[in-house]
Coordinates of all heavy atoms in Angstrom, one line a residue:
L1 N -4.1 117.8 2.3 CA -5.4 117.3 2.7 C -6.4 118.4 2.8 O -6.2 119.5 3.2 CB -5.3 116.6 4.1 CG -4.2 115.5 4.2 CD1 -4.3 114.9 5.6 CD2 -4.3 114.5 3.1
S2 N -7.7 118.0 2.5 CA -8.8 119.0 2.6 C -9.9 118.3 3.3 O -10.1 117.0 3.2 CB -9.3 119.3 1.2 OG -8.3 120.0 0.4
C3 N -10.7 119.1 4.0 CA -11.9 118.6 4.7 C -13.0 119.7 4.7 O -12.8 120.7 5.2 CB -11.5 118.3 6.2 SG -12.9 117.8 7.2
A4 N -14.1 119.3 4.1 CA -15.2 120.2 3.9 C -16.4 119.8 4.8 O -16.8 118.6 4.7 CB -15.6 120.3 2.4
A5 N -16.9 120.8 5.5 CA -18.1 120.5 6.3 C -19.3 121.0 5.7 O -19.3 122.1 5.0 CB -17.9 121.2 7.7
S6 N -20.4 120.2 5.8 CA -21.7 120.6 5.3 C -22.8 120.2 6.2 O -22.6 119.3 7.1 CB -21.9 120.0 3.9 OG -21.9 118.6 3.9
G7 N -24.0 120.8 6.0 CA -25.1 120.4 6.8 C -25.6 121.6 7.6 O -25.4 122.8 7.2
S8 N -26.3 121.4 8.7 CA -27.0 122.4 9.5 C -25.9 123.0 10.4 O -25.7 122.4 11.5 CB -28.2 121.9 10.2 OG -28.8 122.9 10.9
I9 N -25.3 124.1 10.1 CA -24.2 124.7 10.9 C -24.5 126.2 11.1 O -24.7 126.9 10.2 CB -22.8 124.5 10.2 CG1 -22.5 123.1 9.9 CG2 -21.7 125.2 11.0 CD1 -21.3 122.9 9.0
F10 N -24.4 126.6 12.4 CA -24.6 128.0 12.7 C -23.2 128.6 12.6 O -23.1 129.7 11.9 CB -25.1 128.1 14.1 CG -25.4 129.5 14.5 CD1 -26.5 130.2 14.1 CD2 -24.5 130.2 15.4 CE1 -26.8 131.5 14.4 CE2 -24.8 131.5 15.7 CZ -25.9 132.2 15.3
T11 N -22.2 128.1 13.3 CA -20.8 128.6 13.2 C -19.8 127.5 13.5 O -20.1 126.7 14.4 CB -20.6 129.8 14.2 OG1 -21.5 130.9 14.0 CG2 -19.2 130.4 14.0
I12 N -18.7 127.5 12.8 CA -17.7 126.5 13.1 C -16.6 127.2 14.0 O -16.2 128.3 13.6 CB -17.0 126.0 11.8 CG1 -18.0 125.1 11.1 CG2 -15.8 125.1 12.2 CD1 -17.5 124.5 9.8
R13 N -16.3 126.6 15.1 CA -15.3 127.1 16.0 C -13.9 126.5 15.5 O -13.5 126.8 14.4 CB -15.6 126.8 17.4 CG -16.8 127.4 18.0 CD -16.5 128.9 18.3 NE -17.7 129.6 18.8 CZ -18.1 129.6 20.1 NH1 -17.4 128.9 21.0 NH2 -19.1 130.3 20.5
D14 N -13.3 125.7 16.4 CA -12.0 125.1 16.0 C -12.1 124.0 14.9 O -13.1 123.3 14.9 CB -11.3 124.5 17.2 CG -10.9 125.6 18.2 OD1 -10.9 126.8 17.9 OD2 -10.5 125.2 19.3
M15 N -11.1 123.9 14.1 CA -11.0 122.8 13.1 C -9.6 122.2 13.2 O -8.7 123.0 13.5 CB -11.2 123.3 11.7 CG -12.5 124.1 11.5 SD -12.8 124.6 9.8 CE -13.4 123.1 9.0
G16 N -9.5 120.9 13.1 CA -8.2 120.3 13.2 C -8.0 119.0 12.6 O -8.9 118.4 12.0
W17 N -6.8 118.4 12.7 CA -6.5 117.1 12.1 C -5.8 116.3 13.2 O -4.9 116.7 13.9 CB -5.5 117.3 10.9 CG -6.1 118.0 9.7 CD1 -6.0 119.3 9.4 CD2 -6.8 117.4 8.7 NE1 -6.6 119.5 8.3 CE2 -7.2 118.3 7.8 CE3 -7.1 116.0 8.4 CZ2 -7.8 118.1 6.6 CZ3 -7.8 115.8 7.2 CH2 -8.2 116.8 6.4
Y18 N -6.2 115.0 13.2 CA -5.7 114.0 14.1 C -5.2 112.9 13.2 O -5.6 112.8 12.0 CB -6.7 113.4 15.0 CG -7.1 114.4 16.2 CD1 -7.9 115.5 15.9 CD2 -6.7 114.2 17.5 CE1 -8.2 116.4 16.9 CE2 -7.1 115.1 18.5 CZ -7.9 116.1 18.2 OH -8.2 117.0 19.2
R19 N -4.3 112.0 13.7 CA -3.8 110.9 12.9 C -3.7 109.7 13.8 O -3.5 109.8 15.0 CB -2.5 111.2 12.2 CG -1.3 111.4 13.1 CD -0.1 111.8 12.2 NE 1.1 112.0 13.0 CZ 2.2 112.5 12.6 NH1 2.3 112.8 11.3 NH2 3.3 112.6 13.4
Q20 N -3.8 108.5 13.2 CA -3.7 107.2 13.9 C -2.9 106.2 13.1 O -3.3 105.9 12.0 CB -5.0 106.7 14.3 CG -4.9 105.5 15.2 CD -6.2 105.1 15.8 OE1 -7.3 105.4 15.3 NE2 -6.2 104.4 16.9
A21 N -1.7 105.8 13.5 CA -0.9 104.9 12.9 C -1.2 103.5 13.5 O -1.7 103.4 14.6 CB 0.6 105.2 13.1
P22 N -0.8 102.4 12.7 CA -1.1 101.1 13.3 C -0.4 100.8 14.6 O 0.8 101.2 14.7 CB -0.5 100.1 12.2 CG -0.6 101.0 10.9 CD -0.3 102.4 11.3
G23 N -1.1 100.3 15.6 CA -0.5 100.0 16.9 C -0.4 101.2 17.8 O 0.2 101.1 18.9
K24 N -0.9 102.4 17.4 CA -0.7 103.6 18.2 C -2.1 104.3 18.4 O -3.0 104.0 17.7 CB 0.2 104.6 17.5 CG 1.7 104.2 17.3 CD 2.5 105.3 16.7 CE 3.9 104.9 16.6 NZ 4.8 106.0 16.0
Q25 N -2.1 105.1 19.4 CA -3.3 105.9 19.7 C -3.5 107.1 18.8 O -2.5 107.5 18.2 CB -3.3 106.4 21.2 CG -3.2 105.2 22.2 CD -4.5 104.4 22.2 OE1 -5.6 104.9 22.2 NE2 -4.3 103.1 22.2
R26 N -4.7 107.5 18.6 CA -4.9 108.7 17.8 C -4.3 109.9 18.5 O -4.4 110.1 19.7 CB -6.4 108.9 17.6 CG -6.8 110.0 16.6 CD -8.2 110.0 16.3 NE -8.7 108.8 15.7 CZ -9.9 108.6 15.2 NH1 -10.8 109.5 15.2 NH2 -10.2 107.4 14.7
E27 N -3.6 110.8 17.7 CA -2.9 111.9 18.3 C -3.3 113.2 17.5 O -3.5 113.1 16.3 CB -1.4 111.7 18.2 CG -0.8 111.6 16.9 CD 0.7 111.5 16.8 OE1 1.3 111.6 17.9 OE2 1.3 111.3 15.8
L28 N -3.2 114.3 18.2 CA -3.5 115.6 17.6 C -2.3 116.0 16.6 O -1.1 115.9 17.1 CB -3.6 116.7 18.6 CG -3.8 118.1 18.1 CD1 -5.1 118.3 17.4 CD2 -3.7 119.1 19.3
V29 N -2.6 116.4 15.5 CA -1.5 116.9 14.5 C -1.5 118.4 14.5 O -0.5 119.0 14.7 CB -1.8 116.4 13.1 CG1 -0.8 117.0 12.1 CG2 -1.8 114.9 13.1
A30 N -2.7 119.1 14.3 CA -2.8 120.5 14.3 C -4.2 120.9 14.5 O -5.1 120.2 14.1 CB -2.2 121.1 13.0
V31 N -4.4 122.1 15.0 CA -5.7 122.7 15.2 C -5.6 124.2 14.9 O -4.6 124.8 15.1 CB -6.2 122.5 16.6 CG1 -5.3 123.2 17.6 CG2 -7.7 122.9 16.8
I32 N -6.7 124.7 14.3 CA -6.8 126.1 14.0 C -8.1 126.7 14.4 O -9.2 126.2 14.2 CB -6.5 126.3 12.4 CG1 -6.5 127.8 12.0 CG2 -7.6 125.5 11.6 CD1 -6.0 128.0 10.6

């Protein structure tokens, strides 16, 4: 998976991925 940020940004701190399966709450997968 890829995720590219664009727009008016001074600095990006943490970046991460969450996931949500049917019938479940959104959960953290990984953060960097």
Side-chain angles (χ1 to χ4, degrees):
L1 307 183
S2 299
C3 175
S6 62
S8 183
I9 302 171
F10 185 78
T11 302
I12 295 179
R13 295 283 181 84
D14 292 348
M15 307 181 78
W17 293 93
Y18 290 70
R19 67 186 182 187
Q20 187 168 22
K24 295 185 177 180
Q25 298 297 313
R26 189 172 298 187
E27 65 176 354
L28 175 69
V29 177
V31 63
I32 184 169

